[in-house]
Amino acid sequence: MGQQYPKRLIEVDLPIKRISEYARREKDSRCGHIPRLHIYPAARPVAACRAVVCAALWFDPADPHCPTRFVDAVREQMLGWTSHARQILLSEFTRPRFEAARKDPEIFLDSMELRNALLDFVADFSKWENGTNREFLATSRALTTAANEVLNGAGSSAPILVDPFSGGGAIPLEGLRIGADAIASDTNPLALLIEKVALEYAPTYGEQLAAEVEEWSKAVNRRAASVLSGYYPNADGGTTPIAYLWARTVLSEAPDEHEDPVEIPLIRSMWLSKKGTLVALRWKRDEKQRVMTESRVVSYANGNTIRVRRPILEVFFPTSNNEVGKGTVARNAATCPVTGFTTPAKSVQRQLTERMGGASDARMYCVVSTRPGQSGRLYTLPDIRQEECYEAARIEASRRFKEVKNGYPLFPIETLPVMSGVFNAPLYGHASWASLFNARQLLALTTYVDLARERILQIYETDRDYGAAVAAVFGLLIDRLADLNASLCVWQLSTPNTAHVFGRWALPMIMDYGEVNPLAGAGGSPESAAWRIAASLRDIANMNGKPAQVMRCSADDHVMPSDSVDAFITDPPYYNAVPYADISDFFYVWLRRTIGDIHSDLFQTDLVPKESEICEMAGWDPVRYKHKDKEFFERKMREAAERARDYLKPNGIGVVVFAHKSTSGWEAMLQALVDAGWIITASWPIDTEMASRLRAKNSAALASSIHLVCRPREYQDGILRTHDIGDWRDVLSELPRRIHEWMPRLAEEGVVGADAIFACLGPALEVFSRYSRVEKASGEVVTLREYLEQVWAAVAKEALAQVFKDADTAGFEPDARLTAMWLWTLNAGAINGDASPAEEEEADEEEETKGKAARAKGGFVLEYDAARKIAQGLGAHLEDLDHVVEVSGESARLLPVSERTQYLFGKEQADAPTGGRKKKAAQMDLFGELTKAGTDDTAWSEKTVKKVGETTLDRVHQAMILFAAGRGEALKRFLVEDGAGRDQRFWRLAQALSALYPSATSEKRWVDGVLARKKGLGL
């Protein structure tokens, strides 16, 4: 079976609950981490990266193969934390262990106590604030050195960590933090520039760069004002505008209009602010309550000039939600406030397409200002001066549109492609990147580009190395301004402030938007961007680490030599989760104009090179990416995994982060790793997404990212082991034991549901992947897919035993077992909270239709393949349970109890529930998202149980419906006289369902109501 190596800490344990808590807190607070330099898709939270890197590079001191030298080093370092001065740096969870060791140092002679102390240290170190603490840094680097000397000999250089999909650079940065030599590589120029700043320039020039960018930001607005102030006038009364609210417009297509057409401002919400004093808009009305209009001659971007009737708005201060009317646009159809006629979405799309997206000829409907010495925002209608100044900007931008500067067109006129479901703004006429900005935004951004270049060139001419660093940082600053100064920036009611473009990694059409005044020094200004960038630079500099090496190369053709790397830790793309290269073009076009000549190696092409990017793209853009289909992605990912195994040392460790939303995606990634010669030894779920993330609220998302821990399946000389053949019977007998040992450990950490299923993959796959192949007695080779079916079955059985607290689950019928397991799977990370209007609008256009019909009906939705595997693992078949489960396309829906009335009570009593329509609940699917079943306050007409249900689940559901209908006497008869409540399985199942139904659902309330009757009925 090859060489036995001492296990790494990550292969035996990880304090995932505490790490996840720090990761969530860190991302929601947006501390001074890498995203403050520049955002990048799927940025890893530092807490997760730091903990994983530490636990991957350090050995488990309790492992019998762990060298004594490392155990001694761990003991020495952990005893150092028993001093009072160091203990005060520890969390309340960790402190008791070290306090006990202070009183009795021999505690750490116990290897398990030493392991737990090291795990506590990893958890505390993962906290953001501890990343620059000298005590934590000294200990972590000492442990890294000790582990490396065990592997590579005394006096050897630091261990080498490679991340071939390094993106924003968080994983390599954490390698540097604990003393490793980090190598970051990518093919995306934007990613490489971010990495060069974070991993090369910040460790070398951090404080100097921070001071440089702050000094420039203080002086730049005086220079910028000399060019731009005529376009951003101050308001009357000494107030300073900080933002302007705009609505794209269309002409009402109401029939039989003999007057001038009505120009409809496309406003999603009439609210202006829901923070502090409530502020909203309403239509100004005459004495007959008709919406008043004013006649205007308007010039549109398509060259048309037309007289229109413009509805008049006014600002007011509501005292309740009922006073605020609806906006004019919903699902991109526009309702005229004057006539009430709704212009359909297709017509809205056509009109905006004719006007190149309608950003530059939109209607300014509000000016948001501040007054010196006065807190809060002021909301006023724009006056004629504000409109005239913008019109002057529009004329100037039009005059300069064909201007060329520094070898590039002044404005980014490069083509913006349509990408189904991702780039939807082009469907409305946004054909170039420049069209995403209104005229004034284009003038402002190009002005700041000129001022940044002026400073860059001054420095570059005298010091090319430092000048290149300054250029990179200033390029990122311009990108931040572009991200906050485009016509896709939503006005956030809860802040209130302008959001940035990439609330999610897509370019949806936004009908109304907020424009920042960059001269005001508020959010979206150079001062604000510089402050954030400087904070990040200083934080990286304060860790006193050495620079990393940033390489431009593809993961499947990496330049590292064979057997040269100690750790391979990466977060690869997930099929078609994010179109990294195409999204990067938004930033690339501005970077090229700002620093294209300074960093010419990164900016040689008009747009980001896309050929070598390993993503599945055919579904988004079948014209440009026909060849980048599922097979392309899987082949390239397998080649990347093979290349990584080749350059990793035989005793090295690998960690692959994955969070794909489908079972097929998981199977493909696992297949790639196994085929590439990896043994998967552990898997850990860590929460890595912001609770506030847009995607988390209304679409499929695993609650955690799963960190798969891998080892090369090689001999000590680096040759792949190809003759280790496993016996299928032995593998099958070992699998349930592994799952039985692992599931309680996960439950202790609060890991349940889908997260637990995928967290079981590590120990389950170690049994299978340690062999080059597994054969049945007949000699037939067992496929990974076949084995994973067995894994799902083992997990389902173990989970069911936990749900029923080790009761005999064999006594329950298949429908009860499936329902309990289904709800348990969905139980991880149910996300509460309504989507904002902006989020709802983003979801409206080009929304994925997979499972849409099932979700709209309510119930509890799983991916079909996952549901099939769960059922099969429990000895059930979905096709035999159509009275409990509805299959539609690639989704399967566990029916809400309210839809089972006809089945349970007979056709004549199957009237639908009554009650007011409630707001649609957030969708939850396999990865922690579900639809609220039923509606609150539902009521049925009288129910009579003509026949007691055949299964325990049927009887529990019958009782729940009787309770919901208020039929107390009928419920009593059903439970006592009909005998349903005399079966203890009934109450065990009801108790389990009470724990499994989400708290917000009617089912939860109903089953709890039934349980409350038990004692009173003497049952």
Side-chain angles (χ1 to χ4, degrees), residues 335-653:
T335 300
C336 177
V338 177
T339 66
F341 180 82
T342 298
T343 299
K346 286 294 183 184
S347 295
V348 171
Q349 181 179 350
R350 175 182 52 77
Q351 289 194 43
L352 291 177
T353 299
E354 291 171 356
R355 287 159 42 207
M356 294 172 287
S360 280
D361 57 15
R363 173 179 171 181
M364 188 192 309
Y365 65 87
C366 185
V367 179
V368 185
S369 307
T370 59
R371 178 177 286 130
Q374 181 176 320
S375 62
R377 308 276 199 264
L378 303 175
Y379 299 85
T380 58
L381 299 178
D383 56 27
I384 189 65
R385 184 161 171 253
Q386 295 285 354
E387 294 178 352
E388 287 175 347
C389 287
Y390 177 76
E391 184 60 24
R394 192 161 74 128
I395 293 171
E396 178 64 12
S398 178
R399 184 186 69 81
R400 301 186 67 188
F401 199 82
K402 293 184 179 181
E403 184 177 330
V404 174
K405 200 165 189 177
N406 304 319
Y408 306 107
L410 181 66
F411 301 143
I413 59 174
E414 293 88 342
T415 300
L416 170 58
V418 175
M419 293 182 67
S420 177
V422 184
F423 285 7
N424 298 333
L427 296 173
Y428 294 82
H430 287 293
S432 72
W433 292 100
S435 70
L436 297 179
F437 304 86
N438 73 25
R440 188 159 58 184
Q441 289 171 329
L442 286 172
L443 290 177
L445 285 167
T446 51
T447 297
Y448 288 115
V449 167
D450 287 344
L451 294 171
R453 280 188 58 80
E454 181 182 295
R455 180 58 181 154
I456 291 166
L457 293 174
Q458 286 175 355
I459 299 171
Y460 190 70
E461 288 172 1
T462 59
D463 185 340
R464 292 208 161 197
D465 290 340
Y466 179 58
V470 171
V473 171
F474 277 40
L476 299 186
L477 189 149
I478 295 297
D479 270 0
R480 288 196 66 90
L481 294 181
D483 189 31
L484 288 159
N485 290 271
S487 71
L488 298 182
C489 295
V490 174
W491 180 253
Q492 299 180 120
L493 302 177
S494 59
T495 318
N497 268 312
T498 300
H500 64 125
V501 170
F502 291 103
R504 64 184 178 96
W505 293 107
L507 291 173
M509 184 60 168
I510 301 298
M511 294 304 180
D512 54 358
Y513 66 92
E515 177 197 9
V516 168
N517 177 3
L519 302 179
S525 68
E527 296 98 319
S528 175
W531 175 77
R532 287 166 171 77
I533 288 174
S536 237
L537 292 169
R538 286 196 172 97
D539 187 83
I540 296 171
N542 287 339
M543 76 180 193
N544 296 315
K546 53 191 172 183
Q549 186 176 354
V550 177
M551 296 180 173
R552 184 171 192 168
C553 62
S554 179
D556 60 319
D557 190 25
H558 209 281
V559 298
M560 293 300 293
S562 299
D563 299 335
S564 63
V565 170
D566 297 284
F568 153 72
I569 305 177
T570 195
D571 177 22
Y574 311 150
Y575 274 85
N576 58 355
V578 179
Y580 297 88
D582 282 283
I583 280 175
S584 297
D585 282 338
F586 177 93
F587 301 105
Y588 183 92
V589 294
W590 290 106
L591 287 170
R592 198 160 179 249
R593 284 161 173 79
T594 310
I595 60 171
D597 52 346
I598 307 296
H599 287 276
S600 57
D601 57 323
L602 296 180
F603 301 102
Q604 297 174 352
T605 53
D606 290 344
L607 294 169
V608 173
K610 301 173 177 68
E611 188 58 34
S612 61
E613 180 182 45
I614 303 178
C615 279
E616 181 190 351
M617 306 289 292
W620 280 324
D621 191 338
V623 176
R624 289 187 299 150
Y625 297 122
K626 181 180 180 180
H627 64 292
K628 287 198 169 189
D629 54 11
K630 179 175 181 287
E631 288 71 25
F632 165 86
F633 175 84
E634 292 177 3
R635 182 181 75 255
K636 287 294 185 180
M637 196 56 67
R638 183 179 65 253
E639 291 172 0
E642 288 174 347
R643 186 70 194 92
R645 183 190 56 75
D646 178 66
Y647 60 66
L648 191 72
K649 296 175 182 177
N651 61 3
I653 191 83

Side-chain angles (χ1 to χ4, degrees), residues 879-1006:
E879 57 270 23
D880 298 333
L881 295 169
D882 57 357
H883 56 287
V884 178
V885 175
E886 177 187 81
V887 175
S888 176
E890 295 183 32
S891 294
R893 186 171 67 103
L894 183 70
L895 298 177
V897 175
S898 57
E899 287 188 31
R900 302 198 67 217
T901 309
Q902 177 175 335
Y903 177 83
L904 296 171
F905 289 91
K907 187 174 182 180
E908 68 277 8
Q909 297 192 70
D911 55 311
T914 60
R917 183 179 176 181
K918 302 294 180 181
K919 186 169 182 177
K920 186 172 70 172
Q923 167 63 26
M924 306 271 179
D925 69 6
L926 166 62
F927 303 106
E929 302 180 308
L930 51 88
T931 304
K932 185 176 178 181
T935 56
D936 292 331
D937 303 318
T938 51
W940 285 271
S941 58
E942 181 172 335
K943 292 282 178 289
T944 303
V945 183
K946 293 186 176 181
K947 181 180 179 182
V948 174
E950 294 182 3
T951 68
T952 309
L953 180 71
D954 287 347
R955 295 190 287 275
V956 172
H957 282 179
Q958 286 175 322
M960 290 166 63
I961 292 173
L962 290 172
F963 171 82
R967 304 300 299 156
E969 287 301 315
L971 177 60
K972 179 180 179 180
R973 288 195 301 272
F974 176 69
L975 293 174
V976 179
E977 296 174 18
D978 294 341
R982 299 190 183 281
D983 183 350
Q984 287 307 304
R985 292 180 305 166
F986 177 97
W987 299 109
R988 286 205 304 272
L989 179 59
Q991 194 68 51
L993 293 178
S994 173
L996 292 168
Y997 281 127
S999 59
T1001 57
S1002 297
E1003 275 94 338
K1004 167 68 173 170
R1005 189 175 74 250
W1006 300 341

Side-chain angles (χ1 to χ4, degrees), residues 740 747 797-809 812 820 824 987-996:
H740 181 71
K797 291 172 184 175
E798 186 63 33
L800 210 60
Q802 288 188 10
V803 167
F804 293 104
K805 304 189 186 309
D806 297 322
D808 181 14
T809 58
F812 291 107
W824 180 86
W987 299 109
R988 286 205 304 272
L989 179 59
Q991 194 68 51
L993 293 178
S994 173
L996 292 168

Side-chain angles (χ1 to χ4, degrees), residues 814-815 817-818 822 864 867-885 887:
D815 59 351
R817 298 201 301 272
L818 179 62
W822 196 298
Y864 169 74
R868 179 189 64 80
K869 289 175 178 176
I870 288 173
Q872 185 173 299
L874 298 171
H877 300 281
L878 293 183
E879 57 270 23
D880 298 333
L881 295 169
D882 57 357
H883 56 287
V884 178
V885 175
V887 175

